[in-house]
Amino acid sequence: MAKRERAFGNARQLPSGRWQVRYWGPDGQRHTAPHTFAKEKDANRWLRLKEAEVARGEWISPDQAKITVKEWGERWLTSVSPTLKPKTRASYASLLRTLIEPRFGKMEVGHVRPITISEWVASMTKRGLSASRVRQAYRLMSQIMAAAVHNEMIKASPCRGVRLPRMPETEPHILTEHEVKALIAAMRSPHDLIVQLLAYGGLRIGEAFALRRRHVDLDKGRLLVAESLAEIAGKHVFDTPKSHQKREIVLPAFVVTNLKARLSKLPDDPDALLFTGRTGKPLHYNAWRRWHFDPAVEDAKLKDVTPHDLRATHATWVADRHGVMAAARRLGHSNASVTTRHYARAVEGRDKEVAEALDVQAGHGERSAEPQGTQGAREARRRFSWPSNRPLTSNGSG
């Protein structure tokens, strides 16, 4: 006797008059549609679509999506933690605990919809959270839901078509050489050397705080940027630089001279930090700003200057004289677009110089009466030297 093939599924009418659909999944289990239908034809249509989905190999077990967002988020974070920097890991854990779990923690992954995400984003904005914080929370939720799609728990991420608050357009304060010198002069030793490393080496403040004796090569005038110091819940954490890549930087001779003087006062231990607090422990950023940097900014008659502005200033100086690629390399950017988007800014007056040069090239302007070769040498000196006291534009941030 031939074996009768089991039907894929069926629709039955409930006492309420609505129609319920059940079907056999590829996992050999019987599943029920997530909702009932008012009409039999609608129930059968849903059943046919589900059968076609199974035939195409696109079926996802509804049981997979029954895990809560809290459970899945924590599982995902545990799985990616080994690849994250400590500060990023702590930030993700904080966003999960304070912004994602209070809204979605008890909700099943499969029940989260785009409208729910949109309402959540709107509620955070209404509560007064900064655009940056809202976007960080949304990006993390997007990663968690994308992982759910990748693991065949849901078909598509609900994090789509959501309008996010715009980030305020801020520009870094690009300092002139005169302003940098005034700031350095207003700082006590050895903190003035930190400012020199930011302005003339392009270091991040965490990279400067993490410098050790073994990172300095006085003979070659080079600095190895191999570590960065971060603070997590008030505790210091040494890690690789932000880009995860070490880089070497050749420093101006006067900075090397100052580094040599600093090293002469330190122990011979190659792991000795160049800069520490009074107790010999690593510097705390907020305390350093409060007791050293900010007072010096005020004494130098400057306004709205941050340590990050010095890095942007360095990027602008280098990009103007040696090109964006040189600036990107010194800052440790693998992509020069990051340098131009967040750091380097056009120097005031350059557009006029370009127009004048084009006028000369076309034969309409007046060429310099200097002997041949002199003008080129002067231009070379301008391009391959550190900035003079000529003002630079102050239209930058980041």
Side-chain angles (χ1 to χ4, degrees), residues 101-234:
E101 290 180 0
R103 177 63 181 85
F104 301 103
K106 297 180 180 179
M107 185 178 294
E108 293 180 0
V109 169
H111 288 173
V112 182
R113 298 289 181 266
I115 184 62
T116 320
I117 298 293
S118 293
E119 291 169 344
W120 171 58
V121 169
S123 69
M124 289 190 291
T125 303
K126 189 175 181 180
R127 283 163 47 195
L129 271 67
S130 68
S132 175
R133 188 69 172 170
V134 173
R135 294 171 78 94
Q136 288 172 3
Y138 173 79
R139 283 198 298 268
L140 179 58
M141 187 66 172
S142 296
Q143 291 184 68
I144 293 171
M145 287 301 172
V149 175
H150 182 71
N151 284 272
E152 299 182 345
M153 297 165 59
I154 53 178
K155 288 184 180 180
S157 171
C159 297
R160 60 185 192 274
V162 178
R163 298 190 64 177
L164 299 175
R166 290 185 177 182
M167 290 287 290
E169 294 185 5
T170 58
E171 286 290 310
H173 182 160
I174 305 302
L175 282 71
T176 66
E177 173 70 1
H178 175 77
E179 290 172 332
V180 170
K181 287 181 177 178
L183 179 59
I184 293 172
M187 297 198 75
R188 296 191 299 272
S189 178
H191 306 285
D192 54 347
L193 180 54
I194 295 178
V195 172
Q196 291 180 36
L197 291 170
L198 302 183
Y200 297 104
L203 273 67
R204 300 177 178 91
I205 188 65
E207 295 170 344
F209 284 178
L211 286 174
R212 303 178 187 273
R213 174 184 280 277
R214 58 182 164 84
H215 295 148
V216 182
D217 186 340
L218 293 175
D219 294 334
K220 295 182 179 179
R222 292 181 180 178
L223 198 67
L224 175 63
V225 181
E227 290 184 277
S228 184
L229 180 65
E231 291 183 48
I232 302 175

